[in-house]
Amino acid sequence: GCLQWSCTVSPNKNATTYETIHFSEWLKSMRKDVECIFGIMKGRFIILRYGFRFHSIEKCDQMWLTCCALDNLLLNVEGLDKNWDHGVISDWERFNSQHPGDNYNLQVKT
């Protein structure tokens, strides 16, 4: 589940309107993408796997940004950055392009 912090937004499990269901599904899809990226980064950089031993948020931010920059560089060196000029289609965008309109088959609890 999601942490109940004031800065986090959790999907609505009891959604009844199309807009709320749509937003909740989009939010879940985006969270999965972010979790996937964190997993990839933790697999590539051991310091992310076992945690930072820094005492300041600024140092943690610098380490995270350094890992992101190195990951982008390695993607370039490995040739995995080709065809990324226009971005990558997310699972959510792919789903919506295959199912235009209101053909989501979403069930609304009553």
Side-chain angles (χ1 to χ4, degrees), residues 81-95:
D81 65 333
K82 292 180 179 27
N83 300 324
W84 282 42
D85 292 335
H86 303 292
V88 177
I89 297 174
S90 70
D91 287 340
W92 181 253
E93 291 169 323
R94 189 175 298 114
F95 176 80

Side-chain angles (χ1 to χ4, degrees), residues 2-110:
C2 301
L3 298 174
Q4 297 300 316
W5 294 349
S6 62
C7 62
T8 59
V9 176
S10 60
N12 188 341
K13 295 179 182 178
N14 301 317
T16 57
T17 65
Y18 174 77
E19 290 81 13
T20 309
I21 293 170
H22 189 45
F23 175 76
S24 293
E25 292 297 320
W26 173 81
L27 185 61
K28 286 193 285 188
S29 176
M30 293 299 114
R31 283 207 172 134
K32 288 177 189 174
D33 290 347
V34 170
E35 288 174 11
C36 182
I37 293 298
F38 274 106
I40 291 169
M41 297 290 283
K42 285 169 70 174
R44 185 170 277 212
F45 300 104
I46 200 165
I47 193 166
L48 299 177
R49 193 176 316 154
Y50 297 111
F52 297 141
R53 300 196 194 287
F54 301 122
H55 296 286
S56 72
I57 292 175
E58 290 80 18
K59 289 290 184 189
C60 293
D61 284 345
Q62 290 172 357
M63 180 56 66
W64 172 250
L65 292 174
T66 301
C67 289
C68 290
L70 288 172
D71 185 63
N72 286 338
L73 176 70
L74 291 171
L75 288 174
N76 189 347
V77 169
E78 295 166 352
L80 298 175
D81 65 333
K82 292 180 179 27
N83 300 324
W84 282 42
D85 292 335
H86 303 292
V88 177
I89 297 174
S90 70
D91 287 340
W92 181 253
E93 291 169 323
R94 189 175 298 114
F95 176 80
N96 282 333
S97 68
Q98 292 174 356
H99 303 281
D102 292 334
N103 298 326
Y104 292 107
N105 298 324
L106 298 175
Q107 297 177 356
V108 178
K109 294 181 181 179
T110 56

